[in-house]
mmCIF file of all heavy atoms in Angstrom:
data_model
loop_
_atom_site.group_PDB
_atom_site.id
_atom_site.type_symbol
_atom_site.label_atom_id
_atom_site.label_comp_id
_atom_site.label_asym_id
_atom_site.label_seq_id
_atom_site.Cartn_x
_atom_site.Cartn_y
_atom_site.Cartn_z
ATOM 1 N N ASP R 253 64.288 46.606 80.445
ATOM 2 C CA ASP R 253 64.255 48.062 80.587
ATOM 3 C C ASP R 253 64.327 48.631 79.177
ATOM 4 O O ASP R 253 65.240 48.287 78.412
ATOM 5 C CB ASP R 253 65.450 48.564 81.395
ATOM 6 C CG ASP R 253 65.306 48.331 82.881
ATOM 7 O OD1 ASP R 253 65.601 47.202 83.340
ATOM 8 O OD2 ASP R 253 64.906 49.264 83.582
ATOM 9 N N GLU R 254 63.379 49.478 78.831
ATOM 10 C CA GLU R 254 63.413 50.063 77.498
ATOM 11 C C GLU R 254 63.733 51.548 77.581
ATOM 12 O O GLU R 254 63.199 52.270 78.432
ATOM 13 C CB GLU R 254 62.085 49.865 76.764
ATOM 14 C CG GLU R 254 62.124 50.434 75.352
ATOM 15 C CD GLU R 254 61.052 49.869 74.441
ATOM 16 O OE1 GLU R 254 60.227 49.066 74.916
ATOM 17 O OE2 GLU R 254 61.047 50.232 73.246
ATOM 18 N N PHE R 255 64.599 51.989 76.669
ATOM 19 C CA PHE R 255 65.005 53.391 76.598
ATOM 20 C C PHE R 255 64.565 53.887 75.223
ATOM 21 O O PHE R 255 65.217 53.609 74.211
ATOM 22 C CB PHE R 255 66.502 53.525 76.825
ATOM 23 C CG PHE R 255 66.926 53.018 78.174
ATOM 24 C CD1 PHE R 255 67.267 51.675 78.350
ATOM 25 C CD2 PHE R 255 66.930 53.854 79.273
ATOM 26 C CE1 PHE R 255 67.625 51.196 79.602
ATOM 27 C CE2 PHE R 255 67.292 53.379 80.533
ATOM 28 C CZ PHE R 255 67.624 52.049 80.696
ATOM 29 N N ARG R 256 63.468 54.618 75.207
ATOM 30 C CA ARG R 256 62.830 54.986 73.947
ATOM 31 C C ARG R 256 63.193 56.415 73.574
ATOM 32 O O ARG R 256 62.953 57.359 74.347
ATOM 33 C CB ARG R 256 61.312 54.856 74.132
ATOM 34 C CG ARG R 256 60.506 54.860 72.861
ATOM 35 C CD ARG R 256 60.505 53.500 72.182
ATOM 36 N NE ARG R 256 59.607 53.510 71.027
ATOM 37 C CZ ARG R 256 58.342 53.129 71.069
ATOM 38 N NH1 ARG R 256 57.816 52.688 72.194
ATOM 39 N NH2 ARG R 256 57.602 53.162 69.983
ATOM 40 N N PHE R 257 63.778 56.573 72.402
ATOM 41 C CA PHE R 257 64.033 57.919 71.900
ATOM 42 C C PHE R 257 62.694 58.633 71.756
ATOM 43 O O PHE R 257 61.708 58.036 71.308
ATOM 44 C CB PHE R 257 64.759 57.869 70.564
ATOM 45 C CG PHE R 257 66.221 57.582 70.692
ATOM 46 C CD1 PHE R 257 66.677 56.303 70.985
ATOM 47 C CD2 PHE R 257 67.152 58.593 70.532
ATOM 48 C CE1 PHE R 257 68.027 56.033 71.117
ATOM 49 C CE2 PHE R 257 68.516 58.337 70.663
ATOM 50 C CZ PHE R 257 68.951 57.053 70.961
ATOM 51 N N ALA R 258 62.676 59.902 72.149
ATOM 52 C CA ALA R 258 61.397 60.606 72.185
ATOM 53 C C ALA R 258 61.595 62.095 71.959
ATOM 54 O O ALA R 258 62.681 62.645 72.150
ATOM 55 C CB ALA R 258 60.692 60.366 73.527
ATOM 56 N N ALA R 259 60.518 62.748 71.547
ATOM 57 C CA ALA R 259 60.506 64.200 71.342
ATOM 58 C C ALA R 259 59.594 64.828 72.383
ATOM 59 O O ALA R 259 58.457 64.386 72.568
ATOM 60 C CB ALA R 259 60.009 64.531 69.939
ATOM 61 N N THR R 260 60.099 65.846 73.058
ATOM 62 C CA THR R 260 59.353 66.511 74.126
ATOM 63 C C THR R 260 59.178 67.981 73.772
ATOM 64 O O THR R 260 60.096 68.619 73.250
ATOM 65 C CB THR R 260 60.098 66.382 75.467
ATOM 66 O OG1 THR R 260 60.348 64.996 75.736
ATOM 67 C CG2 THR R 260 59.284 66.960 76.616
ATOM 68 N N ALA R 261 57.989 68.513 74.062
ATOM 69 C CA ALA R 261 57.716 69.927 73.784
ATOM 70 C C ALA R 261 56.558 70.385 74.665
ATOM 71 O O ALA R 261 55.848 69.568 75.264
ATOM 72 C CB ALA R 261 57.364 70.140 72.315
ATOM 73 N N LYS R 262 56.386 71.700 74.737
ATOM 74 C CA LYS R 262 55.217 72.251 75.403
ATOM 75 C C LYS R 262 54.110 72.402 74.363
ATOM 76 O O LYS R 262 54.272 73.088 73.353
ATOM 77 C CB LYS R 262 55.531 73.610 76.036
ATOM 78 C CG LYS R 262 56.283 73.498 77.346
ATOM 79 C CD LYS R 262 56.332 74.825 78.073
ATOM 80 C CE LYS R 262 57.008 74.669 79.445
ATOM 81 N NZ LYS R 262 57.095 75.965 80.159
ATOM 82 N N VAL R 263 52.986 71.735 74.628
ATOM 83 C CA VAL R 263 51.851 71.770 73.712
ATOM 84 C C VAL R 263 50.601 72.139 74.503
ATOM 85 O O VAL R 263 50.245 71.443 75.458
ATOM 86 C CB VAL R 263 51.648 70.398 73.020
ATOM 87 C CG1 VAL R 263 50.478 70.475 72.043
ATOM 88 C CG2 VAL R 263 52.912 69.959 72.301
ATOM 89 N N ASP R 264 49.969 73.213 74.128
ATOM 90 C CA ASP R 264 48.735 73.653 74.775
ATOM 91 C C ASP R 264 48.911 73.766 76.293
ATOM 92 O O ASP R 264 48.046 73.366 77.069
ATOM 93 C CB ASP R 264 47.602 72.671 74.442
ATOM 94 C CG ASP R 264 46.228 73.251 74.745
ATOM 95 O OD1 ASP R 264 45.996 74.434 74.424
ATOM 96 O OD2 ASP R 264 45.394 72.531 75.335
ATOM 97 N N GLY R 265 50.069 74.268 76.704
ATOM 98 C CA GLY R 265 50.319 74.513 78.125
ATOM 99 C C GLY R 265 50.820 73.321 78.902
ATOM 100 O O GLY R 265 51.074 73.433 80.106
ATOM 101 N N ARG R 266 50.937 72.142 78.270
ATOM 102 C CA ARG R 266 51.452 70.953 78.953
ATOM 103 C C ARG R 266 52.768 70.529 78.323
ATOM 104 O O ARG R 266 53.039 70.839 77.165
ATOM 105 C CB ARG R 266 50.475 69.773 78.847
ATOM 106 C CG ARG R 266 49.092 70.063 79.378
ATOM 107 C CD ARG R 266 48.043 69.756 78.313
ATOM 108 N NE ARG R 266 48.107 68.407 77.788
ATOM 109 C CZ ARG R 266 48.111 68.112 76.481
ATOM 110 N NH1 ARG R 266 48.081 69.076 75.572
ATOM 111 N NH2 ARG R 266 48.134 66.856 76.088
ATOM 112 N N VAL R 267 53.567 69.798 79.098
ATOM 113 C CA VAL R 267 54.776 69.195 78.547
ATOM 114 C C VAL R 267 54.406 67.794 78.071
ATOM 115 O O VAL R 267 53.978 66.944 78.856
ATOM 116 C CB VAL R 267 55.902 69.119 79.595
ATOM 117 C CG1 VAL R 267 57.120 68.431 79.002
ATOM 118 C CG2 VAL R 267 56.264 70.517 80.089
ATOM 119 N N VAL R 268 54.566 67.578 76.763
ATOM 120 C CA VAL R 268 54.153 66.314 76.142
ATOM 121 C C VAL R 268 55.373 65.633 75.538
ATOM 122 O O VAL R 268 56.250 66.294 74.975
ATOM 123 C CB VAL R 268 53.099 66.569 75.037
ATOM 124 C CG1 VAL R 268 52.721 65.268 74.348
ATOM 125 C CG2 VAL R 268 51.864 67.237 75.633
ATOM 126 N N VAL R 269 55.412 64.308 75.657
ATOM 127 C CA VAL R 269 56.516 63.550 75.068
ATOM 128 C C VAL R 269 55.950 62.486 74.132
ATOM 129 O O VAL R 269 55.007 61.775 74.471
ATOM 130 C CB VAL R 269 57.399 62.909 76.167
ATOM 131 C CG1 VAL R 269 56.611 61.981 77.064
ATOM 132 C CG2 VAL R 269 58.590 62.181 75.548
ATOM 133 N N LEU R 270 56.499 62.435 72.901
ATOM 134 C CA LEU R 270 56.079 61.454 71.903
ATOM 135 C C LEU R 270 57.246 60.540 71.555
ATOM 136 O O LEU R 270 58.368 61.016 71.333
ATOM 137 C CB LEU R 270 55.599 62.152 70.625
ATOM 138 C CG LEU R 270 54.225 62.826 70.660
ATOM 139 C CD1 LEU R 270 53.924 63.460 69.304
ATOM 140 C CD2 LEU R 270 53.140 61.821 71.021
ATOM 141 N N PRO R 271 57.000 59.241 71.460
ATOM 142 C CA PRO R 271 58.087 58.301 71.156
ATOM 143 C C PRO R 271 58.462 58.327 69.677
ATOM 144 O O PRO R 271 57.678 58.745 68.821
ATOM 145 C CB PRO R 271 57.484 56.952 71.541
ATOM 146 C CG PRO R 271 56.016 57.124 71.251
ATOM 147 C CD PRO R 271 55.710 58.561 71.627
ATOM 148 N N GLN R 272 59.671 57.841 69.404
ATOM 149 C CA GLN R 272 60.094 57.618 68.031
ATOM 150 C C GLN R 272 59.765 56.181 67.622
ATOM 151 O O GLN R 272 59.377 55.349 68.440
ATOM 152 C CB GLN R 272 61.610 57.849 67.912
ATOM 153 C CG GLN R 272 62.056 59.244 68.264
ATOM 154 C CD GLN R 272 61.510 60.281 67.310
ATOM 155 O OE1 GLN R 272 61.714 60.205 66.115
ATOM 156 N NE2 GLN R 272 60.786 61.250 67.850
ATOM 157 N N ILE R 273 59.931 55.897 66.347
ATOM 158 C CA ILE R 273 59.745 54.534 65.846
ATOM 159 C C ILE R 273 60.679 53.619 66.629
ATOM 160 O O ILE R 273 61.827 53.954 66.912
ATOM 161 C CB ILE R 273 60.083 54.461 64.340
ATOM 162 C CG1 ILE R 273 59.140 55.374 63.559
ATOM 163 C CG2 ILE R 273 60.003 53.036 63.831
ATOM 164 C CD1 ILE R 273 59.534 55.550 62.109
ATOM 165 N N ARG R 274 60.196 52.450 66.960
ATOM 166 C CA ARG R 274 60.973 51.504 67.768
ATOM 167 C C ARG R 274 61.966 50.765 66.868
ATOM 168 O O ARG R 274 61.750 49.627 66.456
ATOM 169 C CB ARG R 274 60.021 50.520 68.433
ATOM 170 C CG ARG R 274 60.571 49.854 69.677
ATOM 171 C CD ARG R 274 59.525 48.908 70.244
ATOM 172 N NE ARG R 274 59.930 48.321 71.511
ATOM 173 C CZ ARG R 274 59.338 47.281 72.046
ATOM 174 N NH1 ARG R 274 58.326 46.713 71.428
ATOM 175 N NH2 ARG R 274 59.749 46.805 73.198
ATOM 176 N N SER R 275 63.076 51.429 66.560
ATOM 177 C CA SER R 275 64.088 50.842 65.686
ATOM 178 C C SER R 275 65.454 51.368 66.092
ATOM 179 O O SER R 275 65.656 52.580 66.173
ATOM 180 C CB SER R 275 63.816 51.200 64.218
ATOM 181 O OG SER R 275 64.905 50.821 63.404
ATOM 182 N N ALA R 276 66.389 50.461 66.343
ATOM 183 C CA ALA R 276 67.736 50.862 66.758
ATOM 184 C C ALA R 276 68.617 51.229 65.579
ATOM 185 O O ALA R 276 69.711 51.757 65.763
ATOM 186 C CB ALA R 276 68.392 49.736 67.554
ATOM 187 N N SER R 277 68.140 50.931 64.358
ATOM 188 C CA SER R 277 68.990 51.173 63.194
ATOM 189 C C SER R 277 68.741 52.525 62.540
ATOM 190 O O SER R 277 69.494 52.945 61.676
ATOM 191 C CB SER R 277 68.766 50.066 62.156
ATOM 192 O OG SER R 277 67.418 50.091 61.693
ATOM 193 N N MET R 278 67.671 53.215 62.936
ATOM 194 C CA MET R 278 67.297 54.468 62.278
ATOM 195 C C MET R 278 67.939 55.663 62.981
ATOM 196 O O MET R 278 67.460 56.112 64.025
ATOM 197 C CB MET R 278 65.785 54.621 62.242
ATOM 198 C CG MET R 278 65.107 53.627 61.311
ATOM 199 S SD MET R 278 63.333 53.909 61.148
ATOM 200 C CE MET R 278 63.299 55.582 60.492
ATOM 201 N N GLN R 279 69.021 56.182 62.406
ATOM 202 C CA GLN R 279 69.698 57.330 63.011
ATOM 203 C C GLN R 279 68.843 58.585 62.995
ATOM 204 O O GLN R 279 69.028 59.473 63.817
ATOM 205 C CB GLN R 279 71.027 57.584 62.293
ATOM 206 C CG GLN R 279 72.100 56.573 62.665
ATOM 207 C CD GLN R 279 73.416 56.866 61.997
ATOM 208 O OE1 GLN R 279 73.598 56.572 60.829
ATOM 209 N NE2 GLN R 279 74.329 57.445 62.742
ATOM 210 N N MET R 280 67.883 58.662 62.077
ATOM 211 C CA MET R 280 66.999 59.833 62.047
ATOM 212 C C MET R 280 66.177 59.940 63.336
ATOM 213 O O MET R 280 65.711 61.019 63.684
ATOM 214 C CB MET R 280 66.070 59.781 60.836
ATOM 215 C CG MET R 280 66.717 60.194 59.531
ATOM 216 S SD MET R 280 67.417 61.876 59.575
ATOM 217 C CE MET R 280 65.943 62.866 59.818
ATOM 218 N N ASN R 281 66.006 58.824 64.044
ATOM 219 C CA ASN R 281 65.299 58.893 65.328
ATOM 220 C C ASN R 281 65.989 59.846 66.294
ATOM 221 O O ASN R 281 65.339 60.594 67.024
ATOM 222 C CB ASN R 281 65.206 57.506 65.963
ATOM 223 C CG ASN R 281 64.040 56.695 65.420
ATOM 224 O OD1 ASN R 281 63.265 57.190 64.609
ATOM 225 N ND2 ASN R 281 63.914 55.456 65.850
ATOM 226 N N SER R 282 67.318 59.819 66.306
ATOM 227 C CA SER R 282 68.039 60.698 67.229
ATOM 228 C C SER R 282 68.021 62.142 66.749
ATOM 229 O O SER R 282 68.091 63.079 67.553
ATOM 230 C CB SER R 282 69.490 60.228 67.413
ATOM 231 O OG SER R 282 70.218 60.342 66.210
ATOM 232 N N ILE R 283 67.911 62.341 65.433
ATOM 233 C CA ILE R 283 67.795 63.695 64.883
ATOM 234 C C ILE R 283 66.438 64.285 65.251
ATOM 235 O O ILE R 283 66.328 65.450 65.661
ATOM 236 C CB ILE R 283 67.949 63.675 63.346
ATOM 237 C CG1 ILE R 283 69.349 63.205 62.951
ATOM 238 C CG2 ILE R 283 67.637 65.045 62.744
ATOM 239 C CD1 ILE R 283 70.451 64.167 63.276
ATOM 240 N N ARG R 284 65.394 63.486 65.135
ATOM 241 C CA ARG R 284 64.042 63.966 65.368
ATOM 242 C C ARG R 284 63.704 64.084 66.844
ATOM 243 O O ARG R 284 62.765 64.777 67.224
ATOM 244 C CB ARG R 284 63.047 63.025 64.682
ATOM 245 C CG ARG R 284 63.147 63.074 63.163
ATOM 246 C CD ARG R 284 62.388 61.946 62.508
ATOM 247 N NE ARG R 284 62.455 62.058 61.045
ATOM 248 C CZ ARG R 284 62.273 61.051 60.217
ATOM 249 N NH1 ARG R 284 62.010 59.837 60.687
ATOM 250 N NH2 ARG R 284 62.355 61.241 58.919
ATOM 251 N N ALA R 285 64.460 63.397 67.691
ATOM 252 C CA ALA R 285 64.189 63.409 69.132
ATOM 253 C C ALA R 285 65.009 64.494 69.813
ATOM 254 O O ALA R 285 65.937 65.066 69.240
ATOM 255 C CB ALA R 285 64.524 62.049 69.734
ATOM 256 N N ASN R 286 64.667 64.784 71.059
ATOM 257 C CA ASN R 286 65.506 65.659 71.896
ATOM 258 C C ASN R 286 65.725 65.034 73.269
ATOM 259 O O ASN R 286 65.990 65.727 74.241
ATOM 260 C CB ASN R 286 64.902 67.064 72.020
ATOM 261 C CG ASN R 286 63.474 67.049 72.562
ATOM 262 O OD1 ASN R 286 62.965 66.010 72.973
ATOM 263 N ND2 ASN R 286 62.831 68.217 72.558
ATOM 264 N N GLY R 287 65.629 63.704 73.324
ATOM 265 C CA GLY R 287 65.869 62.998 74.572
ATOM 266 C C GLY R 287 65.282 61.605 74.512
ATOM 267 O O GLY R 287 65.087 61.031 73.423
ATOM 268 N N TYR R 288 64.976 61.055 75.663
ATOM 269 C CA TYR R 288 64.424 59.709 75.709
ATOM 270 C C TYR R 288 63.617 59.534 76.986
ATOM 271 O O TYR R 288 63.653 60.383 77.885
ATOM 272 C CB TYR R 288 65.526 58.655 75.630
ATOM 273 C CG TYR R 288 66.469 58.623 76.822
ATOM 274 C CD1 TYR R 288 66.270 57.701 77.851
ATOM 275 C CD2 TYR R 288 67.547 59.492 76.926
ATOM 276 C CE1 TYR R 288 67.124 57.655 78.949
ATOM 277 C CE2 TYR R 288 68.403 59.452 78.002
ATOM 278 C CZ TYR R 288 68.189 58.531 79.007
ATOM 279 O OH TYR R 288 69.033 58.492 80.094
ATOM 280 N N ILE R 289 62.881 58.449 77.045
ATOM 281 C CA ILE R 289 62.208 58.076 78.283
ATOM 282 C C ILE R 289 62.616 56.652 78.642
ATOM 283 O O ILE R 289 62.964 55.842 77.770
ATOM 284 C CB ILE R 289 60.667 58.178 78.175
ATOM 285 C CG1 ILE R 289 60.123 57.230 77.122
ATOM 286 C CG2 ILE R 289 60.223 59.600 77.910
ATOM 287 C CD1 ILE R 289 58.619 57.114 77.153
ATOM 288 N N HIS R 290 62.590 56.355 79.915
ATOM 289 C CA HIS R 290 62.960 55.037 80.423
ATOM 290 C C HIS R 290 61.699 54.330 80.896
ATOM 291 O O HIS R 290 61.014 54.807 81.797
ATOM 292 C CB HIS R 290 63.956 55.197 81.579
ATOM 293 C CG HIS R 290 64.340 53.900 82.230
ATOM 294 N ND1 HIS R 290 64.943 53.838 83.470
ATOM 295 C CD2 HIS R 290 64.197 52.608 81.824
ATOM 296 C CE1 HIS R 290 65.153 52.582 83.795
ATOM 297 N NE2 HIS R 290 64.715 51.811 82.817
ATOM 298 N N ILE R 291 61.379 53.200 80.263
ATOM 299 C CA ILE R 291 60.266 52.357 80.719
ATOM 300 C C ILE R 291 60.881 51.213 81.511
ATOM 301 O O ILE R 291 61.515 50.323 80.929
ATOM 302 C CB ILE R 291 59.437 51.826 79.538
ATOM 303 C CG1 ILE R 291 58.948 52.988 78.665
ATOM 304 C CG2 ILE R 291 58.255 51.005 80.055
ATOM 305 C CD1 ILE R 291 58.236 52.550 77.402
ATOM 306 N N PRO R 292 60.759 51.229 82.838
ATOM 307 C CA PRO R 292 61.460 50.242 83.664
ATOM 308 C C PRO R 292 60.987 48.809 83.404
ATOM 309 O O PRO R 292 59.849 48.561 82.974
ATOM 310 C CB PRO R 292 61.116 50.673 85.098
ATOM 311 C CG PRO R 292 60.657 52.081 84.987
ATOM 312 C CD PRO R 292 60.015 52.198 83.642
#
């Protein structure tokens, strides 16, 4: 199960989510994100 830090926003009328770099050591990932997604 992967829990990917991600940034979500409304873009061109849709809700879009972009992942962060796949690294558990980069605290800036949590600064740049506003949530996460779960890939089962």
Side-chain angles (χ1 to χ4, degrees):
D253 283 82
E254 182 160 3
F255 299 89
R256 195 81 174 266
F257 282 75
T260 305
K262 282 191 176 179
V263 181
D264 196 43
R266 303 126 55 229
V267 178
V268 177
V269 59
L270 285 180
Q272 299 295 303
I273 298 170
R274 203 180 185 195
S275 170
S277 63
M278 291 185 60
Q279 285 182 282
M280 281 302 296
N281 277 357
S282 65
I283 296 291
R284 293 168 177 158
N286 56 7
Y288 66 98
I289 62 170
H290 177 197
I291 305 174

